[in-house]
Amino acid sequence: MKSKVLVALTGIIAMLVVPLALAASSIERVTVQTEGAGNSVGTATASALSSAVAQVNGAELASTTLSTELTQTLDTNAGSDFAAASATVEAIAQRTKGLVQSYRILSKAENAGVWTVAVEATISKYARSEQADRLRMTVLPFRTHSASQGATSGRFVTSLTAQLTSSRKFAMLDRAFEGERQSEMGVLSSEGTSMEEMAKLGNRLGTDYMIVGVIDDASIHTQSTELAGRTLTAKSATLSISYRIIDAPTGQIKMADSWTGSMAGDAIDSLAAKAADAISRQIVDSIAPIKVESVLGDQLYLGQGGASIKVGQKYRLLLAGEAIVDSYTKESLGRQEIEVGLIEVVDVQSKIAKAKVLKSSVNIAEKFPTSTFIVRLQSEAAKPAPAGVSSKKAAPVTALKQKVENDW
């Protein structure tokens, strides 16, 4: 019986430890060396530790309040040997609530009443997600010509953001809920929050590219026709959007295009979703076209999943060839794309999709280890168009980031 209880307790402890380990993984420890100056050893040490915090986490955390906390703690132990006073180190860790994990004094010197202290300090730092290293994009509210188009603009921006996020190729930054984010950051900086948690402050990301644009037209047209003494009424919706991708630091326009679609009825929302799907695909195809990541017989695993890929969609299978360089600008124009087959998506997961090969002119499994295969959605022109629907698709553009331009 005791053994069963012990096993049960062990299982419970294991379940508790795993989440705690995962929760703690967002905080890492960074050791740095800094110097500080002041009219006492305590003040100079406090200055050095404050500089260490600023070096690791930014000036937002190395505030006057923190410096005061450090100075008060160190001045309390002014008579001790700071390099060996473990009680002082522990006091600092407690007073800063874990932000300054530990430190040791490397050297101290006095000149004309001014002390200079060099320290080696271990500071808590918020470990950002690896996704933050992706190309960063922000979809900003699209401008409108009338107040009635505001709802359409909001739905389009929301849908475009969701599509680009699900591609998992970019770090999509939110600007729509900035107030809520600021409120949460205010909680982190309030009294009672551990400074180790406060390490999350000062980590706001800046965007690389802004996606902006204008809703040029979002209208519903009604047409009446007299037939055999009766009046027949038909509605059609039209949506026209122009957009740009702008390099945030320089303001340079990296891409500009437009999309126009129409549909029978008054389904402007459906057109907004269709526009978001087409534009997001154009952006992804330009920067990071979908690659074949694994081959198993006639099954291909694609490096993209989520809402942007749907079961039943057919993609052209392309073999990447030589790089193409513009003769005038010497910039990369992409690479040769040799069509070698056709595939159909049979399963979609959050990060990957599985497709079956419908036809192929090469032995994919044989070439795959040393060759790069990409896929592009079969054009609408190659499929029967749904009744009452027409659209204008954006033309191919060059990649937005130099690293990607060198490949595609």
Side-chain angles (χ1 to χ4, degrees), residues 28 34 60 65 114 117 146 173 202 235 269 299 342 378 380:
E28 62 183 11
T34 56
E60 187 175 357
T65 303
V114 178
V117 174
S146 65
L173 307 185
K235 291 183 177 181
D269 288 354
Q299 302 288 319
L342 184 68
Q378 188 180 41
E380 296 293 331

Side-chain angles (χ1 to χ4, degrees), residues 129-373:
S129 165
E130 291 182 357
Q131 295 178 4
D133 295 328
R134 299 173 183 172
L135 184 66
R136 300 169 194 162
M137 282 190 171
T138 303
V139 183
L140 297 178
F142 274 40
R143 297 179 181 179
T144 60
H145 294 295
S146 65
S148 62
Q149 297 174 345
T152 301
S153 173
R155 294 186 187 99
F156 167 75
V157 168
T158 299
S159 184
L160 180 60
T161 301
Q163 293 278 8
L164 291 173
T165 301
S166 69
S167 75
R168 305 184 67 84
K169 295 298 185 288
F170 315 110
M172 299 302 300
L173 307 185
D174 179 78
R175 294 293 182 264
F177 295 92
E178 188 61 22
E180 288 82 351
R181 193 196 73 85
Q182 291 286 1
S183 176
E184 179 60 24
M185 291 300 99
V187 172
L188 285 178
S189 60
S190 64
E191 185 177 356
T193 302
S194 72
M195 288 197 177
E196 188 173 41
E197 276 294 297
M198 288 176 64
K200 295 177 181 178
L201 294 171
N203 282 279
R204 186 183 183 188
L205 298 174
T207 191
D208 295 314
Y209 293 110
M210 304 181 301
I211 302 176
V212 299
V214 179
I215 305 296
D216 297 309
D217 184 24
S219 56
I220 299 174
H221 307 280
T222 302
Q223 184 176 2
S224 299
T225 304
E226 296 290 336
L227 181 63
R230 298 172 59 188
T231 301
L232 302 179
T233 301
K235 291 183 177 181
S236 63
T238 299
L239 180 62
S240 182
I241 299 173
S242 57
Y243 64 96
R244 296 177 179 181
I245 297 182
I246 298 175
D247 181 82
T250 66
Q252 180 184 3
I253 299 174
K254 306 294 284 187
M255 171 180 170
D257 218 314
S258 62
W259 184 94
T260 299
S262 61
M263 180 178 290
D266 56 2
I268 284 289
D269 288 354
S270 297
L271 275 178
K274 184 179 179 65
D277 181 66
I279 292 172
S280 66
R281 188 181 303 118
Q282 174 63 26
I283 293 171
V284 172
D285 278 353
S286 300
I287 304 172
I290 303 172
K291 287 185 178 182
V292 175
E293 302 292 356
S294 180
V295 177
L296 183 61
D298 65 346
Q299 302 288 319
L300 307 184
Y301 290 85
L302 311 181
Q304 188 170 313
S308 57
I309 295 184
K310 298 175 177 61
V311 172
Q313 285 182 330
K314 294 181 180 179
Y315 284 79
R316 295 180 298 129
L317 181 64
L318 306 166
L319 178 63
E322 296 180 0
I324 304 172
V325 179
D326 189 294
S327 301
Y328 293 99
T329 65
K330 307 305 179 185
E331 294 177 352
S332 172
L333 298 178
R335 297 176 66 175
Q336 296 174 346
E337 295 182 358
I338 306 163
E339 188 164 347
V340 295
L342 184 68
I343 65 173
E344 180 180 349
V345 177
V346 296
D347 183 46
V348 178
Q349 300 175 27
S350 61
K351 298 180 181 181
I352 61 173
K354 184 167 70 173
K356 65 179 180 180
V357 179
L358 299 180
K359 61 179 182 179
S360 176
S361 60
V362 298
N363 187 323
I364 302 171
E366 188 177 278
K367 280 185 168 293
F368 178 73
T370 57
S371 302
T372 299
F373 289 91

Side-chain angles (χ1 to χ4, degrees), residues 35-48 75 78 80-82 105 107-118:
E35 285 189 354
N39 56 12
S40 68
V41 175
T43 303
T45 305
S47 175
D75 281 346
S80 65
D81 184 350
F82 291 100
I105 290 181
S107 65
K108 54 183 178 179
E110 186 265 342
N111 184 19
V114 178
W115 283 90
T116 300
V117 174

Side-chain angles (χ1 to χ4, degrees), residues 391-405:
S391 65
K392 173 186 174 183
K393 299 180 69 177
V397 295
T398 55
L400 302 186
K401 203 170 186 181
Q402 185 60 47
K403 178 180 179 298
V404 180
E405 285 177 347

